[in-house]
Amino acid sequence: MASFKPTKVQVYPKLGEKVTQDTLYWKNYKAPVQIKEFGAITNIDVSPVAPHNFAVTAFTRIHIYGAFSQEPVKTYTRFKDTAYCGRFRADGQLLVAGCEDSVVRLFDVSGKVALRMFKGHTKAVHVTDFTSDRYQILTGSDDYTCRLWDMPNTTELNRYQEHTDYIRCGVTSKLNRDLFITGSYDHTLKVFDARMEKSVMTMDHGHPVESLLLYPSEGLLVSAGGRYVKIWDLLKGGQPLVSLKNHHKTVTSLCLSSNGQRLLSGSLDRHVKVYSTTNYKVVHNFDYAASILSLALAPDDESIVVGMTNGILSMKHRKNPEDYKGVIQQRRRPSYRFFVKGKNYVPKQDDYLVSKPVKQHLAKYDKQLKKFNVSQALDTALETWVRFRKPEVTVAVIKELDRRGTLKNALAGRDEQGLSQLLNFLVGNLVDPRFAPVLVTTAEMILDIYQSVIGQSPVVDRQLLRLQDLLEREIDYQQELLEVLGMLDTMFASSLPRKQVPCSAVSRSNGLAQREAGTQLPAT
Amino acid sequence: MVEHGDVRVVHRGGSKINFREPVISNDSSFLLCASGDCVKVFSTATEECVHDLRGHSGLVTGVRLRPSNHLQVYSCSLDGTVRLWDFTDGILIKTYVIGYPIYSIYTSANHEGVIFIVTAKSDQGSELFQLVAVQLRQCAEQVVEAREFSAVLPDVTSKPAAIDFGRGGEYIASVKAQQLEVFFFKKQKSYRFFLREDNKKGGKNTFTCVVCHPKDDCIATGHEDGKIRLWRNFNQKKEYTYSTMHWHHGAVGSLCFTPEGTNLLSGGVESVLVQWRYNQESEKDFLPRLGAAITHIVVSPDGALFCTSHSDNKITIIQSCVKVSAVIQGLVNGDGVRTDLMVDPHSKAMVLNGKPGHLQFYSLQRDKLLYNLDIVQQEYIHEEGLQQFEVVKAAFTSSGDWLATVEERQQKAADLELNLKLWAFDEQTQSFVLNTTISAPHEARITAMCFCHAAGSQTTMLVSTSKDGHFKAWQLAEAAHTQDEGSSSSWSCDFVGSYHGLVPESCCFSADGSLLAVSFQEVVTVWSPSSWELLTTLSQPPGAIRHLCFGRLSCSKYLLGATDNSLLCCWNLLTCSLEWSTAMATSLLLVDPLSENIAAFCYQAGSTDLFVFKPNEPRPLFSQKAVCSGKVNRAVFAPREEMLESCEESSQWLNRSQLYFLTPYMDLMTFSTKAEEDKLMASSKQLVIDDSIAMTPFSLLLGKHRQQQENQDPLSVLSAERSPLPQGSAAIKELLQTPAHVLPSTSFLCSLFVQSLLISVTDSREEDKHVEEEMESDKENSDEEMESGTSRPEGGSVVDQYVHAADRPLTKAQIREVRRVKKLDQGWMSNILDT
């Protein structure tokens, strides 16, 4: 006497990305905090010192946000035109920003009025940065020049006019006070040494350079421009190391995770990609609502801040594991005691152990199937939760009923509500290729059974019309797909080289071998 | 033609045990059932076969206990004899020659010395059967002619369930079609009751079985539409009554009253045993999911055991309607074997599809079903006319680590449901565990499937060909490199191939796995599995190729194919040309995995011929015309456990493996050689009893030893000591098979028994071993001394005395000396080690 074998619910392979350590790490963020700014957010900079505030440059303002605040801590509004590139100094005390009106302003983080104004550029200044000795400022402008300024007396120290197009990005070395790198729309990256008259190194990115990033070791340089992210080895004289093409629109911003193991790139295609810096493979991907212009990570990856073209600033904070622990433990403790009650008795040596037969647990629909209650089995499988969350269970039950030859009995004799529920499920899942073979026969049966009552209930009629629409659309899709397939076939046939098969003397009559282009997916 | 005088086709196991209802002995310890040409005696407690009662030369059609002696049993057979057996010892007591084929047998307690048999009415009209009573004469001879017939009922069916005796033999009830006939022996009068063919609701009223209440005047009949009718007052023509009970939705397969008549048991195609209370018909108990349709129900005379036999060649023993206590399972070969016959490399069992949705593993050596592997894993709905999933293809890797199965279900005209499942062998459970399920691997039916046989290769590959015009290669993909927990490797499609849209029919890997041959109708394509390149095509039009196989070992350069217009072709793969071809209507081509031999079954003029040949030799090694009638479609080479040392040329091909095949009537046959039969005869001869001695097991045991000693006497002492092991094991066998009450006392046997286990040691061995040996013999000495007073058969321990002779040089004093020396020695050794 065998026990009842429960209905087999087909397990479908999970499509999409596989769960890795990286996905777990990068998914462990709370729902984003979104703040609307006045215009496109062009730059985000994280303060290097303790509260790690963000300087967010958007339109004519720079807002400073605290790590967890949704309101700006501080606002700089003294710009005549669009502000660019608000950056903190290494001690977090000063902030520099360029502007569309070609004036570079230096602020104290506690004050509101600019401490210094550097005038000299003739066009908008998109690049500003402090050098590592803290007393000089690097600026790059649309007038093709980049300059070094002395902070205390606002004088221009150096001017380099080597780029032949707008300079839109630049970084200074954190280790050497004289070194800095600029990237320009003339496709080049140039490394300058303040002690030299000319640039010391030039690299060709191949596209207008939008963003630059130096590794903490400063041996590697990352540049973004066009759809490409390129890694350069500075110690080998600017040799290109890797070229990454994972975005399908211009890459606008780069950022390195706090441990230096992951590189993040944001792009106008609304994705942020996370690369592993060991093999430069994409390990994770974030989607955003609009094109991304700027991107920053707080220290220890505590939060990801992304600025977009539509002026929305999105902040994601890391989930705190301690927040949940207390709650779960409090709830669990009594229930565990309850379940273990009387079961932790260890039998003594002479005890005669009577083992209770293990009770087979059956799902609700299986209990009904075991009793041959086919209609009830279908009803339980069509319960709202199952129907929406686990349609494969419902389909498995329908398939089982079909196998038993009792599907027609189970489908028949339903009232308006039951029928519309069933049709609703069909409309939702009929075109799913996993379920289609089962559900098409079901739909046919329903039409056979209920064709006499069509027109009596408006609810059911509406569902049937929806079903008809769905099928028509699906047929159109299939037709288009077949057309595409045909086109692909011709292309493959013309591109594959014809190969002569060695024919033996006996089998001379045989023609060429046809090799199927290995496009067919495994049928799993 | 090669002579084949010493190779014979023999039946080998797997016969039906559910053909007729089994019989339970009075003490409920044995179960007897007809199985092919013999009657099998099973132990109800251990499920083991205790005896085979062999002697009939035709199919055994009935087994009944002899009412006057409950240790004896009658069996009848189509060979026209009724035999009386002592089933506890497995001895044939008497043979009654009737002279006509007998279809069933009945006995009744009221009729001493009379048996009732069903025979065909006349020789020409075999459709009509009659029940006759046969008077058995008392006489001393073994073979008795029994010709005193008296017809009882002129028109009955041959089904044994259609006739039953009531009230210990006062009357007899018989059903046929829509008619119930009751015959009273005292009045010599019969009453007939008719039912209409169809009732109002469209059910069929045809009787299927009848059973009489043991204490009451009541007859229960089962019907085609699932109804059970209880008839009363049937001793008159008009005022009979019946009541109807209905639970079964299919035909009632069998009915049985418990010995006291308190319960009625019924069973049918639903495979549920239903227990009805007599006189309280609304109360019933169920025992569901017994596995297959119930064909017979039997209750033991004390009512403690129920026994049901099922359509899947199974007998279930149930303890008081609640618990299945034992299952005796025979080889399941229902309507046909869809899979090929295979041999599981791990268990060496023959594998074929058995119960619906299962693969059965059947041990050929032990003639026993090892286990069923549930392939479909779905609840089986016992309903007629329902399309179920069937296992249609299966394949093993050469190491047995992987099993691939294909199950399909063809719903009426709807599309085909196909599943390809891959099973991994689990060392711990010694069974197969499902690894991957591929639903809809192909769009149409799979025609062939094979694993790559290469022994050393890292990857395992499976190729399946289908009617949709493609063949697909499946490969074990290693587990994803990511850190997923618990994700093991699974199978996925590696390559899809086709050739001019033709339908592939069969596929085969070469022995080293470097070539794959796929036949597309008339064309054989040869592919390289490593690069999936089409290497060459071979064709021999006309005629589509049905079977394809590569040669092995020294013949691995040959590829053989059999076409459907009776041509057997052999291609040489080195020259890519046809080596030879011959006209042969091959129905099956089979390669011996252990040698170069290839067996071809050819269907010609209603019977099958067998040819065994090597591809590189012009003459066949062996050929036999008319192996069996009908077409042989399933056969397998099963490797032998130990190689045969046959020097005869014609039977050399059977040295390494044995060829089994299934006839169209689902009989499992094999080829046996003379050497093998001699061996079997020799083993059975050991048990043959010498006529001069009275045949008690006691004399059997002791007489044996006397013979041994007679043989040993002239030999030297040493050889006598070396030989006892094999003979001793035979003695053990006898010892264990003989009932305890006829054995001599245990203390006497003990020394003999221990002696037989000992490996004798000569003087030249180590001293300490001698000491142990001496201690043993000391014990035996004392045993002998104890027993010397009792009457002991002389010569019973001559072997012991030989041992004494061998050990005599050491006396007890000497042993003590040796022990002392040993102790001293060790102390001395340890001193040295310490310093």
Side-chain angles (χ1 to χ4, degrees):
Chain A
M1 184 176 61
S3 54
F4 180 82
K5 288 175 199 157
T7 309
K8 228 177 170 62
V9 176
Q10 181 103 46
V11 183
Y12 293 98
K14 261 190 193 164
L15 301 174
E17 58 190 329
K18 293 221 168 67
V19 177
T20 60
Q21 289 291 318
D22 275 292
T23 39
L24 291 179
Y25 183 81
W26 293 108
K27 277 207 170 147
N28 192 22
Y29 284 96
K30 293 178 199 163
V33 176
Q34 300 206 325
I35 300 158
K36 177 77 179 158
E37 294 285 348
F38 292 105
I41 297 161
T42 53
N43 192 53
I44 301 168
D45 193 41
V46 185
S47 164
V49 293
H52 300 300
N53 294 335
F54 301 98
V56 175
T57 316
F59 196 42
T60 58
R61 289 164 199 227
I62 295 179
H63 291 293
I64 309 279
Y65 289 96
F68 294 102
S69 67
Q70 299 197 27
E71 291 294 311
V73 177
K74 200 163 184 63
T75 310
Y76 301 99
T77 54
R78 301 293 173 90
F79 294 100
K80 302 270 184 319
D81 208 335
T82 315
Y84 295 112
C85 199
R87 282 206 186 166
F88 285 106
R89 198 166 78 167
D91 56 1
Q93 296 294 317
L94 294 177
L95 183 99
V96 69
C99 183
E100 187 71 37
D101 63 359
S102 79
V103 181
V104 177
R105 289 175 175 83
L106 181 74
F107 298 96
D108 185 13
V109 287
S110 51
K112 280 201 170 235
V113 188
L115 293 179
R116 298 278 190 278
M117 287 167 68
F118 305 93
K119 293 178 183 167
H121 281 295
T122 54
K123 280 190 178 166
V125 179
H126 278 267
V127 180
T128 57
D129 204 357
F130 294 94
T131 59
S132 59
D133 65 356
R134 302 181 181 181
Y135 302 120
Q136 292 175 5
I137 286 171
L138 160 74
T139 59
S141 160
D142 284 357
D143 60 5
Y144 309 165
T145 62
C146 57
R147 305 175 195 211
L148 274 180
W149 308 82
D150 186 35
M151 248 173 3
N153 46 18
T154 357
T155 51
E156 184 184 312
L157 297 175
N158 276 339
R159 178 195 299 190
Y160 299 97
Q161 198 159 8
E162 290 192 14
H163 284 294
T164 54
D165 207 335
Y166 302 155
I167 296 168
R168 284 290 164 91
C169 56
V171 280
T172 55
S173 161
K174 298 276 182 300
L175 304 178
N176 187 327
R177 71 189 182 103
D178 294 320
L179 274 184
F180 62 93
I181 306 159
T182 56
S184 152
Y185 275 14
D186 63 0
H187 303 185
T188 58
L189 312 165
K190 286 185 188 287
V191 182
F192 295 96
D193 189 335
R195 295 160 293 192
M196 309 284 275
E197 287 297 313
K198 303 194 73 165
S199 65
V200 292
M201 208 186 282
T202 304
M203 290 156 279
D204 188 9
H205 182 83
H207 292 271
V209 185
E210 295 281 355
S211 181
L212 279 178
L213 183 76
L214 260 177
Y215 268 63
S217 65
E218 306 204 338
L220 296 178
L221 173 72
V222 188
S223 66
R227 294 163 60 193
Y228 293 88
V229 173
K230 293 191 176 180
I231 320 283
W232 310 87
D233 193 342
L234 289 181
L235 300 179
K236 275 192 185 169
Q239 194 180 2
L241 209 62
V242 202
S243 174
L244 306 172
K245 188 184 151 191
N246 294 94
H247 288 282
H248 54 267
K249 281 188 185 169
T250 304
V251 183
T252 53
S253 51
L254 293 168
C255 165
L256 209 59
S257 78
S258 55
N259 58 1
Q261 296 292 308
R262 300 285 180 266
L263 174 70
L264 285 81
S265 67
S267 153
L268 294 181
D269 64 3
R270 305 186 303 199
H271 294 298
V272 171
K273 305 244 176 198
V274 183
Y275 307 88
S276 157
T277 51
T278 47
N279 55 5
Y280 294 105
K281 292 253 164 65
V282 176
V283 293
H284 193 66
N285 179 36
F286 295 101
D287 292 353
Y288 282 93
S291 300
I292 293 159
L293 286 181
S294 51
L295 166 72
L297 269 180
D300 292 333
D301 304 337
E302 276 303 316
S303 41
I304 303 172
V305 189
V306 165
M308 287 170 271
T309 47
N310 59 357
I312 286 179
L313 178 74
S314 158
M315 283 197 275
K316 281 188 189 172
H317 299 293
R318 180 164 285 281
K319 280 181 191 163
N320 205 347
E322 278 96 46
D323 290 354
Y324 303 98
K325 261 184 189 163
V327 181
I328 291 166
Q329 274 183 352
Q330 268 181 0
R331 206 178 57 219
R332 279 246 172 117
R333 204 171 289 137
S335 68
Y336 175 72
R337 265 192 207 161
F338 172 76
F339 282 118
V340 91
K341 202 171 187 176
K343 285 184 182 173
N344 49 4
Y345 178 78
V346 182
K348 301 214 171 60
Q349 199 177 9
D350 295 331
D351 284 357
Y352 181 71
L353 197 66
V354 180
S355 55
K356 227 167 48 172
V358 181
K359 205 177 168 192
Q360 189 191 14
H361 175 76
L362 289 177
K364 267 188 201 165
Y365 51 87
D366 272 335
K367 280 183 191 155
Q368 301 288 356
L369 280 176
K370 191 178 171 186
K371 291 183 205 154
F372 290 84
N373 295 338
V374 286
S375 275
Q376 281 97 315
L378 188 59
D379 285 343
T380 39
L382 277 172
E383 273 171 9
T384 323
W385 190 83
V386 178
R387 190 161 36 120
F388 289 112
R389 293 294 184 79
K390 291 188 168 169
E392 66 266 21
V393 171
T394 315
V395 172
V397 172
I398 293 177
K399 197 172 176 184
E400 172 71 13
L401 289 169
D402 189 29
R403 187 179 74 85
R404 293 175 171 217
T406 47
L407 182 57
K408 210 156 207 168
N409 306 8
L411 291 172
R414 286 177 183 267
D415 57 1
E416 184 187 45
Q417 196 198 346
L419 187 58
S420 76
Q421 201 181 25
L422 202 57
L423 287 171
N424 202 10
F425 178 74
L426 283 182
V427 168
N429 295 288
L430 186 63
V431 294
D432 192 328
R434 300 175 295 173
F435 307 141
V438 180
L439 293 185
V440 165
T441 48
T442 314
E444 279 169 358
M445 270 187 198
I446 290 175
L447 292 181
D448 280 350
I449 296 166
Y450 294 101
Q451 62 181 353
S452 56
V453 297
I454 287 175
Q456 290 180 8
S457 153
V459 183
V460 172
D461 287 354
R462 214 179 308 130
Q463 300 275 27
L464 285 173
L465 285 177
R466 275 178 64 199
L467 193 64
Q468 192 181 359
D469 276 356
L470 185 77
L471 288 176
E472 277 165 9
R473 248 182 296 139
E474 184 64 18
I475 288 166
D476 288 346
Y477 280 141
Q478 298 282 350
Q479 196 147 12
E480 279 172 33
L481 275 177
L482 281 177
E483 281 168 18
V484 172
L485 213 60
M487 285 190 268
L488 283 177
D489 274 351
T490 21
M491 279 159 70
F492 277 123
S494 58
S495 67
L496 278 181
R498 303 201 124 201
K499 197 174 150 248
Q500 191 74 33
V501 173
C503 289
S504 64
V506 181
S507 58
R508 207 174 292 142
S509 59
N510 295 312
L512 291 170
Q514 244 181 359
R515 259 192 77 182
E516 180 132 331
T519 48
Q520 190 147 355
L521 286 171
T524 44
Chain B
M1 275 295 157
V2 182
E3 282 294 309
H4 51 80
D6 60 336
V7 178
R8 289 195 320 129
V9 180
V10 293
H11 258 282
R12 185 56 59 84
S15 47
K16 275 189 169 183
I17 56 172
N18 64 345
F19 178 63
R20 286 291 188 248
E21 64 176 47
V23 168
I24 304 178
S25 67
N26 260 16
D27 56 353
S28 306
S29 57
F30 294 110
L31 180 102
L32 292 91
C33 63
S35 159
D37 293 353
C38 63
V39 177
K40 284 198 169 174
V41 184
F42 292 97
S43 158
T44 53
T46 62
E47 314 168 17
E48 286 296 324
C49 181
V50 184
H51 294 296
D52 274 350
L53 308 181
R54 289 181 186 278
H56 283 292
S57 56
L59 190 66
V60 177
T61 50
V63 182
R64 292 278 161 172
L65 281 181
R66 186 179 182 183
S68 55
N69 185 347
H70 62 84
L71 292 177
Q72 293 177 352
V73 71
Y74 288 112
S75 71
C76 68
S77 156
L78 288 182
D79 64 0
T81 57
V82 172
R83 289 172 196 248
L84 182 65
W85 309 85
D86 180 342
F87 61 83
T88 46
D89 294 334
I91 298 166
L92 175 64
I93 298 172
K94 258 178 198 164
T95 307
Y96 301 99
V97 179
I98 308 291
Y100 306 105
I102 306 165
Y103 295 93
S104 55
I105 183 169
Y106 304 92
T107 56
S108 105
N110 278 11
H111 299 82
E112 184 67 33
V114 176
I115 55 167
F116 298 87
I117 56 172
V118 171
T119 59
K121 211 166 195 177
S122 51
D123 288 336
Q124 63 273 18
S126 59
E127 288 302 305
L128 289 172
F129 299 93
Q130 59 179 350
L131 181 73
V132 293
V134 180
Q135 197 74 40
L136 301 179
R137 278 185 295 125
Q138 298 285 338
C139 60
E141 296 138 46
Q142 277 262 328
V143 181
V144 186
E145 291 267 323
R147 302 279 183 192
E148 296 163 37
F149 304 148
S150 57
V152 180
L153 291 174
D155 186 17
V156 296
T157 65
S158 63
K159 267 181 67 184
I163 297 174
D164 196 35
F165 285 80
R167 298 285 292 266
E170 276 183 23
Y171 55 88
I172 183 166
S174 153
V175 292
K176 188 181 184 189
Q178 285 86 35
Q179 172 201 316
L180 167 69
E181 183 172 2
V182 184
F183 178 80
F184 288 88
F185 284 103
K186 263 190 194 153
K187 291 191 262 182
Q188 287 290 317
K189 194 172 178 189
S190 70
Y191 297 93
R192 291 179 189 188
F193 309 100
F194 295 92
L195 288 174
R196 249 171 296 151
E197 191 168 342
D198 294 302
N199 55 15
K200 280 172 200 157
K201 285 176 185 163
K204 284 204 172 126
N205 277 337
T206 315
F207 287 97
T208 55
C209 51
V210 64
V211 70
C212 299
H213 194 277
K215 301 273 149 76
D216 210 354
D217 273 338
C218 174
I219 297 174
T221 57
H223 298 263
E224 199 100 301
D225 58 353
K227 283 189 181 127
I228 297 169
R229 287 191 171 85
L230 293 175
W231 302 73
R232 292 187 176 85
N233 287 338
F234 43 78
N235 51 2
Q236 47 217 345
K237 193 84 190 154
K238 291 278 159 61
E239 285 160 26
Y240 68 92
T241 58
Y242 65 76
S243 59
T244 309
M245 308 186 291
H246 197 177
W247 182 86
H248 295 278
H249 68 76
V252 180
S254 182
L255 284 171
C256 186
F257 275 109
T258 52
E260 295 304 312
T262 48
N263 293 313
L264 172 66
L265 303 171
S266 69
V269 75
E270 305 87 357
S271 80
V272 180
L273 182 67
V274 188
Q275 185 176 19
W276 310 78
R277 299 260 188 292
Y278 185 64
N279 288 334
Q280 292 165 287
E281 273 77 31
S282 57
E283 283 182 41
K284 37 188 186 286
D285 294 324
F286 302 104
L287 190 64
R289 282 185 283 284
L290 288 172
I294 294 173
T295 52
H296 307 285
I297 303 172
V298 173
V299 182
S300 70
D302 58 358
L305 289 185
F306 300 164
C307 170
T308 54
S309 51
H310 300 263
S311 58
D312 62 349
N313 208 8
K314 177 175 82 173
I315 296 177
T316 310
I317 298 164
I318 299 155
Q319 272 176 343
S320 51
C321 204
V322 282
K323 208 178 104 219
V324 173
S325 70
V327 175
I328 299 164
Q329 174 86 63
L331 181 70
V332 187
N333 41 19
D335 341 321
V337 178
R338 312 266 317 255
T339 63
D340 286 330
L341 299 187
M342 285 157 298
V343 171
D344 174 22
H346 279 288
S347 61
K348 304 277 179 282
M350 188 174 76
V351 180
L352 63 160
N353 67 334
K355 291 202 292 184
H358 287 67
L359 268 190
Q360 56 181 334
F361 288 68
Y362 188 81
S363 169
L364 292 164
Q365 280 78 31
R366 294 164 58 204
D367 186 21
K368 196 177 175 194
L369 193 90
L370 297 183
Y371 63 98
N372 278 308
L373 181 66
D374 187 358
I375 300 293
V376 174
Q377 297 183 331
Q378 266 176 343
E379 178 76 3
Y380 185 78
I381 306 299
H382 298 278
E383 198 179 310
E384 274 170 35
L386 203 62
Q387 288 298 318
Q388 311 272 10
F389 268 110
E390 294 259 16
V391 183
V392 291
K393 289 272 182 295
F396 282 98
T397 56
S398 53
S399 61
D401 289 338
W402 289 97
L403 163 69
T405 60
V406 176
E407 65 206 41
E408 66 172 40
R409 173 169 166 261
Q410 174 94 61
Q411 227 174 351
K412 50 215 173 222
D415 40 59
L416 181 80
E417 281 181 69
L418 266 182
N419 281 324
L420 173 64
K421 283 181 178 171
L422 288 131
W423 306 74
F425 187 75
D426 186 11
E427 287 289 338
Q428 272 176 344
T429 57
Q430 291 288 309
S431 177
F432 286 91
V433 181
L434 185 61
N435 179 276
T436 310
T437 306
I438 300 161
S439 50
H442 283 279
E443 278 147 37
R445 192 161 276 164
I446 288 180
T447 53
M449 188 166 73
C450 70
F451 270 107
C452 179
H453 286 292
S457 74
Q458 296 289 314
T459 55
T460 321
M461 189 182 284
L462 173 74
V463 167
S464 59
T465 63
S466 163
K467 283 221 154 66
D468 63 1
H470 297 295
F471 73 89
K472 287 188 184 181
W474 308 89
Q475 212 162 23
L476 184 65
E478 288 309 309
H481 59 277
T482 50
Q483 302 89 333
D484 289 0
E485 69 289 332
S487 80
S488 59
S489 49
S490 63
W491 290 72
S492 58
C493 188
D494 183 45
F495 177 72
V496 182
S498 65
Y499 185 80
H500 289 297
L502 298 175
V503 175
E505 197 64 46
S506 62
C507 61
C508 181
F509 271 103
S510 68
D512 59 350
S514 64
L515 290 177
L516 167 71
V518 183
S519 75
F520 288 91
Q521 292 173 4
E522 289 94 6
V523 186
V524 179
T525 55
V526 182
W527 305 73
S528 153
S530 53
S531 61
W532 290 117
E533 238 176 314
L534 179 59
L535 298 176
T536 185
T537 57
L538 309 162
S539 69
Q540 187 60 36
I545 286 159
R546 288 273 166 268
H547 303 280
L548 206 59
C549 66
F550 277 96
R552 303 227 155 224
L553 305 174
S554 68
C555 300
S556 52
K557 63 181 175 185
Y558 294 107
L559 173 66
L560 287 109
T563 65
D564 61 354
N565 61 348
S566 59
L567 209 60
L568 182 64
C569 309
C570 176
W571 289 278
N572 188 335
L573 290 171
L574 298 179
T575 60
C576 289
S577 60
L578 191 73
E579 191 92 355
W580 51 263
S581 71
T582 171
M584 223 183 221
T586 314
S587 66
L588 183 66
L589 203 59
L590 202 67
V591 192
D592 184 358
L594 296 178
S595 66
E596 295 104 333
N597 302 332
I598 292 176
F601 286 91
C602 302
Y603 178 68
Q604 253 170 357
S607 66
T608 299
D609 308 335
L610 171 72
F611 296 93
V612 179
F613 59 92
K614 287 185 186 178
N616 54 355
E617 281 177 22
R619 272 160 50 90
L621 293 171
F622 172 81
S623 68
Q624 184 165 0
K625 291 262 176 205
V627 168
C628 72
S629 60
K631 207 170 183 174
V632 171
N633 280 324
R634 305 279 178 241
V636 69
F637 272 108
R640 280 186 196 275
E641 279 182 338
E642 50 191 291
M643 239 180 85
L644 274 190
E645 304 274 329
S646 170
C647 45
E648 300 246 4
E649 196 196 348
S650 61
S651 56
Q652 261 172 3
W653 62 281
L654 284 170
N655 279 1
R656 285 170 161 273
S657 41
Q658 207 166 0
L659 180 62
Y660 288 89
F661 64 94
L662 272 180
T663 63
Y665 312 108
M666 294 298 142
D667 296 320
L668 187 66
M669 313 285 260
T670 186
F671 292 88
S672 91
T673 63
K674 198 174 244 169
E676 221 178 340
E677 274 168 31
D678 287 348
K679 212 196 241 173
L680 271 177
M681 288 296 283
S683 65
S684 62
K685 251 179 203 158
Q686 281 191 344
L687 296 172
V688 166
I689 300 155
D690 194 3
D691 293 341
S692 58
I693 311 168
M695 295 186 294
T696 62
F698 182 68
S699 70
L700 188 68
L701 184 74
L702 294 180
K704 193 86 189 170
H705 279 282
R706 196 177 296 140
Q707 276 177 2
Q708 277 176 23
Q709 285 141 25
E710 278 162 13
N711 292 340
Q712 284 161 9
D713 275 336
L715 298 173
S716 73
V717 175
L718 278 180
S719 67
E721 281 192 357
R722 283 215 179 112
S723 52
L725 201 64
Q727 290 161 353
S729 60
I732 293 165
K733 219 177 273 171
E734 284 174 22
L735 191 71
L736 295 177
Q737 282 172 352
T738 317
H741 63 275
V742 297
L743 279 177
S745 73
T746 328
S747 53
F748 164 60
L749 282 173
C750 179
S751 62
L752 268 178
F753 182 67
V754 170
Q755 200 63 52
S756 70
L757 291 178
L758 276 181
I759 299 163
S760 59
V761 180
T762 52
D763 285 6
S764 57
R765 297 290 175 87
E766 291 287 323
E767 284 179 343
D768 48 356
K769 282 195 179 171
H770 266 295
V771 174
E772 285 168 19
E773 189 90 22
E774 190 61 29
M775 284 164 73
E776 293 269 10
S777 59
D778 271 359
K779 272 184 210 156
E780 283 157 19
N781 255 338
S782 59
D783 277 351
E784 276 172 22
E785 280 154 21
M786 277 168 63
E787 285 196 2
S788 58
T790 64
S791 65
R792 181 162 53 87
E794 51 98 32
S797 66
V798 182
V799 182
D800 301 8
Q801 283 164 13
Y802 286 138
V803 177
H804 283 281
D807 294 332
R808 200 143 289 162
L810 284 176
T811 63
K812 277 181 185 170
Q814 278 170 320
I815 294 158
R816 260 177 239 126
E817 191 67 37
V818 167
R819 278 184 192 151
R820 207 174 301 136
V821 167
K822 244 172 77 184
K823 272 181 192 167
L824 276 175
D825 268 350
Q826 281 170 354
W828 175 70
M829 281 289 280
S830 61
N831 277 341
I832 283 178
L833 284 174
D834 285 341
T835 57

